[in-house]
Amino acid sequence: MDRDEELLRGRVYGQDHDDPRPGPRPGRVYAELVGGPLDGLLLDVTDWTPGQRASGTALETELGRYGADGRSLYDPRPGGTPHFDWSGDAP
């Protein structure tokens, strides 16, 4: 596992890598990101409406195909599981 992958494991998307508590917090709802450059990260969806959860998301990342200006696309897994599957990258 390279250093970038090591830093991402067990972390919540959007939290600073220097955060003394980088993991999930009690009382929050998370979806696990599966596949792609953000594989294994948790996405805080606590304040998302059911419609927002159903439509998926485009997350900023420097690790995808388009580098610093890119986004990785994640769609909710059918069946109501707490997973969002990678569907590609976008500029």
Side-chain angles (χ1 to χ4, degrees):
M1 177 182 313
D2 69 22
R3 179 77 175 132
D4 285 339
E5 286 182 56
E6 183 180 319
L7 289 171
L8 294 177
R9 297 290 167 210
R11 302 187 92 67
V12 176
Y13 173 82
Q15 284 185 335
D16 190 84
H17 69 276
D18 291 333
D19 190 324
R21 293 183 51 210
R25 307 227 166 132
R28 308 296 294 176
V29 177
Y30 298 93
E32 181 179 353
L33 301 176
V34 180
L38 303 176
D39 184 54
L41 285 178
L42 299 175
L43 178 64
D44 187 340
V45 295
T46 304
D47 299 324
W48 292 26
T49 66
Q52 288 171 316
R53 288 185 194 183
S55 66
T57 189
L59 302 171
E60 293 179 10
T61 181
E62 295 178 6
L63 303 174
R65 178 177 177 190
Y66 297 97
D69 295 325
R71 295 184 176 358
S72 286
L73 309 175
Y74 285 87
D75 297 313
R77 186 175 290 177
T81 67
H83 297 88
F84 277 35
D85 295 311
W86 180 66
S87 60
D89 292 320

